[in-house]
Amino acid sequence: MRNILVTNALPYANGPIHMGHLLGYIQADIWVRAMRAMGHNVTYVCADDAHGTAIMLRAEANGITPEAQIANVQKEHIRDFDGFGVHFDHYDSTNSDENKNRSEEIYIKNREAGNIAIRPVNQLFDPEKGMFLSDRFIKGTCPKCKAEDQYGDACEVCGTTYNATELLNPRSTLSGATPVEKSSDHYFFKLPNFAEYLQKWTRDEGRLPVSIANKLDEWFENGLNDWDISRDAPYFGFEIPDAPNKYFYVWVDAPIGYMSSFENYIKTKRPELSFDDYWKKDSKNEVYHFIGKDIVYFHALFWPAMLEGANYRTPTGLFVNGFLTVNGQKMSKSRGTFIKAETYLEHLNPEHLRYYFASKLSDKVEDSDLNLEDFVQKVNSDLVGKVVNIASRCAKFINTSFDNKLSATCAEPELVQSFIDAGNSIAQAYEAREFSAAIREIMALADKANQYIDEKKPWALAKQEGQEQQVHDVCSVGINLFRQLAVYLSPVLPTLATQVQDFLKLENFDFASGKTILVNHEIEQFQALMQRVDPKAVAAMVDASKDSLAAAVEPVKVEKKKEKKAAPTKVESKVGEAEIIGIEDFMKVDLRVAQVVEAATVEGSDKLLQLTLDAGEAEPRNVFSGIRGSYAPEDLKGKLVVLVANLAPRKMRFGISNGMVLAAGNGDGIFIMSPDTGAKPGDKVS
């Protein structure tokens, strides 16, 4: 028996879990369940990545503390993971005492080993917000191609990368202010100190996928650079020891969260376990991280270097998954294919997605595609048409004609044994994370089982006098074959496995339990185990996920009352001065609740106010609104408004306006439309 610690990449505590996230978590959960089914001791932990500027600003916009913000998101994350059967032994947060203490310890050990440097850095500073700006909060004109509205690290038009200080006409996306250059001392981790060590580490057999190791060679060829591990206040995170107002960059304490979550698990649930048995330098136990390919750099360079510098063991291996596309394209809100976990669970069976992902996944670092038509066809054909169908065809005879008991002997021992023997290669495929290969082999067995039943035709035999024993024998063999398939699918379909275990009245359902043929064995009354995927439910899920990106929407106006006219004899294209539109056009307008984070007058305009809005998105929105004549800036801060969220950004001489706040006007003034109590930023208005 092997002792294994498994972790997943930590989801950021600033938004919901979606299909792209679930690919990696479902992959890890399947592997954990498979390894346990083989008899190994596996501990599975994770945590929310809870620090950073984005979370601080989101909490500020919501009018709550960062601690309250991350606690709310953590509840949603746990709910969604549970909904998909991703069951961690412990789910923690990086904002914990254990993580703080462990982060400080690792930093101090590296500092004492000479792996920390301090030097000044010029950065852009927002004079209105009083904070240094990370690249995501700066926009301006590309210094190369002169494209406007580009972020502070790279141009999306020409692909040039640059420092934020090189942007032309930079502005803060938080306040709209022009940032100024300011110097500040920063703390650096000397990654070049570990260049030789990391080159060997990344090439250790089994440590990394070969394709990833090859990709990392590019970094070594270009030379490793010092890593900036500090951020200036204000910042939500852990303060660096002996460095007032300096905080660990989120990517310092995030991977340490793997250690601290395990440590907290020991303290709260498993005191018999030892932290050192898994994390000390010479530990023989295994540690694996399941991560996405977009964060390999942090996990394959920074993380092992930090651990080595602090005299801890490094991961046994990194298991890397690619990105998820839907219908062959990037997930899209406008197409309804940017699907949140919560939305999926409202419409479809989570085990169907687990199976579909498993049928696509291998140990290769390849992108996976969720083709929704193929999804419906594959689940209905494989799980309902092949696997569950075996039980439904055979169980009714056992239940009704043979007192719920299987035959006293097995009529096809060689056939059943061939299914048992297949367990070795299926287990090997699971262990190698070749899930698609395991699924292919299991479905080949399902075809074989159905072929046997089709050939024997128990429904026809049951109509013939004197064939009762043969019906009993055939259906008993069928139930045994079904049992093997359910055992092999149990890592992928844990809910179905539990139902089958109850139906078959079995104490154990691990891989070893399937090595004994069931004879003279009592079963329960058969109940439907799985329903087919309804294409209408898939369409409803897609529709519920749509966030239209219509190009433009005209302002909403409240017209003065006009004299009543006679009712028209036919539908006209105009009502008063407003053009009639169909419901399809109206549905294109994406109305969202937003909260005013900041409001300010606009120099050079007597009508406009500049609003910074939290609309439940990753970044605040900047919107100019012509309401200055009716509202003072101080009256708006914290107010909930209705935002046209899919209005095309409009370039104004004062900056970019990204949306429109709805207001009504009747000649006597302008009145902002505001949702009722209970609404929160990001809610859809309908």
Side-chain angles (χ1 to χ4, degrees):
M1 182 178 70
R2 294 153 59 186
N3 294 315
I4 304 170
L5 173 62
V6 175
T7 75
N8 264 119
L10 311 186
Y12 199 42
N14 201 36
I17 301 299
H18 57 69
M19 293 295 99
H21 294 133
L22 284 171
L23 182 68
Y25 297 105
I26 287 175
Q27 181 186 32
D29 184 81
I30 291 172
W31 194 77
V32 167
R33 291 178 185 273
M35 296 302 285
R36 286 173 175 165
M38 296 175 211
H40 301 302
N41 177 33
V42 185
T43 302
Y44 185 27
V45 301
C46 194
D48 268 351
D49 182 2
H51 290 152
T53 303
I55 287 173
M56 178 183 72
L57 293 173
R58 173 61 61 83
E60 179 184 318
N62 289 341
I64 58 178
T65 64
E67 289 80 4
Q69 170 73 27
I70 61 179
N72 292 339
V73 173
Q74 186 178 45
K75 291 177 184 176
E76 296 174 357
H77 286 179
I78 292 173
R79 174 203 65 198
D80 291 343
F81 287 135
D82 284 346
F84 280 90
V86 178
H87 288 168
F88 302 104
D89 292 308
H90 186 66
Y91 194 86
D92 211 338
S93 167
T94 56
N95 192 49
S96 68
D97 290 340
E98 289 82 6
N99 200 35
K100 181 177 185 296
N101 295 336
R102 195 65 64 180
S103 297
E104 291 177 352
E105 176 206 0
I106 289 175
Y107 167 78
I108 290 172
K109 284 183 176 179
N110 274 288
R111 184 181 66 185
E112 292 174 348
N115 297 323
I116 304 296
I118 305 172
R119 59 176 178 269
V121 172
N122 285 336
Q123 293 175 274
L124 292 183
F125 183 83
D126 186 328
E128 291 191 16
K129 293 290 289 184
M131 60 184 292
F132 287 97
L133 297 171
S134 60
D135 294 340
R136 73 171 76 180
F137 298 124
I138 305 167
K139 280 192 172 182
T141 302
C142 172
K144 183 176 182 180
C145 74
K146 305 302 185 289
E148 298 182 348
D149 206 35
Q150 300 303 308
Y151 282 107
D153 56 351
C155 178
E156 295 180 349
V157 177
C158 70
T160 299
T161 57
Y162 41 71
N163 293 322
T165 53
E166 298 177 78
L167 270 180
L168 305 177
N169 304 315
R171 70 179 186 283
S172 166
T173 62
L174 302 179
S175 68
T178 300
V180 296
E181 278 198 47
K182 201 171 181 181
S183 179
S184 172
D185 282 343
H186 274 235
Y187 290 68
F188 291 83
F189 181 78
K190 296 181 179 179
L191 192 62
N193 289 2
F194 299 88
E196 184 177 347
Y197 169 80
L198 290 171
Q199 278 188 289
K200 181 180 182 303
W201 188 88
T202 56
R203 287 296 180 180
D204 283 349
E205 186 176 355
R207 186 86 71 181
L208 293 170
V210 174
S211 62
I212 295 296
N214 291 339
K215 183 67 177 177
L216 289 171
D217 279 345
E218 297 176 12
W219 294 97
F220 296 122
E221 290 170 4
N222 294 329
L224 301 179
N225 297 316
D226 287 355
W227 176 36
D228 189 343
I229 62 169
S230 67
R231 294 296 184 268
D232 290 280
Y235 190 83
F236 181 57
F238 296 141
E239 198 168 43
I240 297 176
D242 308 315
N245 294 319
K246 303 290 182 181
Y247 291 80
F248 286 127
Y249 173 44
V250 62
W251 266 108
V252 174
D253 62 79
I256 297 173
Y258 301 141
M259 304 172 79
S260 62
S261 181
F262 180 62
E263 186 174 11
N264 191 263
Y265 174 59
I266 294 172
K267 287 183 179 180
T268 58
K269 300 174 185 176
R270 294 287 302 278
E272 73 277 12
L273 293 178
S274 167
F275 180 86
D276 286 344
D277 283 351
Y278 287 82
W279 287 104
K280 65 183 179 181
K281 187 75 170 179
D282 58 348
S283 173
K284 301 301 182 186
N285 292 338
E286 301 166 59
V287 176
Y288 297 101
H289 302 318
F290 281 80
I291 62 172
K293 66 180 181 180
D294 55 325
I295 53 175
V296 164
Y297 185 75
F298 293 101
H299 283 81
L301 296 179
F302 298 144
W303 177 227
M306 282 198 304
L307 290 170
E308 174 66 15
N311 201 35
Y312 279 111
R313 65 89 47 81
T314 56
T316 310
L318 302 180
F319 297 153
V320 184
N321 64 269
F323 297 138
L324 179 71
T325 57
V326 179
N327 293 336
Q329 301 180 62
K330 288 182 64 175
M331 294 189 298
S332 163
K333 291 183 179 180
S334 63
R335 290 189 294 269
T337 56
F338 190 94
I339 303 166
K340 294 191 296 184
E342 180 183 18
T343 306
Y344 179 100
L345 291 170
E346 290 170 353
H347 295 88
L348 296 169
N349 184 339
E351 299 236 304
H352 293 165
L353 187 72
R354 288 178 65 100
Y355 176 77
Y356 191 78
F357 279 171
S359 73
K360 298 283 186 177
L361 286 165
S362 71
D363 68 339
K364 306 293 189 299
V365 187
E366 298 173 337
D367 293 347
S368 297
D369 183 53
L370 170 57
N371 182 290
L372 294 175
E373 288 187 10
D374 182 52
F375 167 76
V376 173
Q377 188 277 330
K378 190 172 189 61
V379 170
N380 289 345
S381 173
D382 289 2
L383 296 185
V384 181
K386 293 181 181 180
V387 177
V388 173
N389 188 47
I390 298 169
S392 64
R393 296 168 87 183
C394 297
K396 63 181 179 181
F397 293 106
I398 303 296
N399 292 147
T400 60
S401 302
F402 305 106
D403 198 24
N404 302 321
K405 187 169 287 188
L406 303 182
S407 293
T409 59
C410 178
E412 300 283 351
E414 292 184 1
L415 175 62
V416 177
Q417 188 61 46
S418 71
F419 275 53
I420 294 173
D421 293 343
N424 292 328
S425 60
I426 291 171
Q428 289 171 7
Y430 273 125
E431 181 172 355
R433 303 179 321 287
E434 291 284 0
F435 298 163
S436 57
I439 294 299
R440 285 195 299 272
E441 188 165 356
I442 294 168
M443 286 305 120
L445 293 176
D447 287 335
K448 193 174 180 180
N450 279 292
Q451 182 180 1
Y452 167 77
I453 296 168
D454 288 340
E455 289 174 352
K456 298 298 183 180
K457 296 181 175 57
W459 55 89
L461 292 172
K463 297 176 182 179
Q464 301 175 22
E465 189 174 344
Q467 296 297 321
E468 291 84 358
Q469 186 60 50
Q470 191 170 0
V471 172
H472 197 188
D473 289 343
V474 169
C475 292
S476 296
V477 169
I479 292 296
N480 267 281
L481 301 181
F482 169 72
R483 179 267 199 104
Q484 294 300 326
L485 298 175
V487 165
Y488 298 149
L489 285 169
S490 62
V492 179
L493 307 173
T495 300
L496 178 67
T498 299
Q499 293 171 328
V500 174
Q501 185 177 355
D502 292 341
F503 160 57
L504 296 180
K505 301 178 74 169
L506 295 171
E507 291 185 7
N508 296 307
F509 215 66
D510 57 17
F511 286 1
S513 71
K515 295 186 181 299
T516 303
I517 299 176
L518 300 178
V519 292
N520 202 30
H521 180 83
E522 186 176 356
I523 64 173
E524 294 284 2
Q525 285 288 324
F526 178 76
Q527 304 289 333
L529 295 170
M530 185 171 285
Q531 301 297 321
R532 296 173 67 85
V533 182
D534 185 351
K536 293 180 180 178
V538 176
M541 175 188 69
V542 170
D543 189 59
S545 302
K546 282 183 178 176
D547 185 6
S548 179
L549 302 177
V553 181
E554 288 296 320
V556 175
K557 295 181 180 179
V558 177
E559 302 289 344
K560 290 185 177 181
K561 291 184 179 179
K562 300 181 181 294
E563 290 184 10
K564 188 174 182 180
K565 295 182 179 180
T569 58
K570 62 179 181 178
V571 177
E572 299 177 344
S573 62
K574 301 281 184 178
V575 175
E577 297 176 2
E579 181 179 351
I580 289 177
I581 63 173
I583 187 65
E584 298 83 5
D585 291 319
F586 179 75
M587 292 301 290
K588 293 178 181 178
V589 184
D590 184 9
L591 300 179
R592 300 276 173 159
V593 175
Q595 187 172 43
V596 180
V597 180
E598 296 287 349
T601 58
V602 178
E603 186 175 350
S605 173
D606 57 359
K607 294 183 179 180
L608 294 177
L609 288 181
Q610 182 177 12
L611 307 178
T612 301
L613 304 178
D614 171 30
E617 300 166 321
E619 299 176 10
R621 289 201 184 208
N622 182 71
V623 173
F624 292 97
S625 182
I627 56 175
R628 182 170 175 178
S630 300
Y631 292 89
E634 56 267 25
D635 296 332
L636 294 173
K637 192 169 183 178
K639 187 177 182 66
L640 292 177
V641 298
V642 177
L643 171 72
V644 180
N646 59 341
L647 186 65
R650 181 183 177 191
K651 183 180 179 182
M652 307 174 72
R653 64 189 179 96
F654 311 103
I656 303 294
S657 185
N658 192 14
M660 175 186 292
V661 172
L662 293 190
N666 59 9
D668 297 324
I670 298 175
F671 309 94
I672 286 179
M673 296 182 183
S674 185
D676 203 352
T677 304
K680 61 182 184 300
D683 284 352
K684 194 172 181 66
V685 178
S686 58

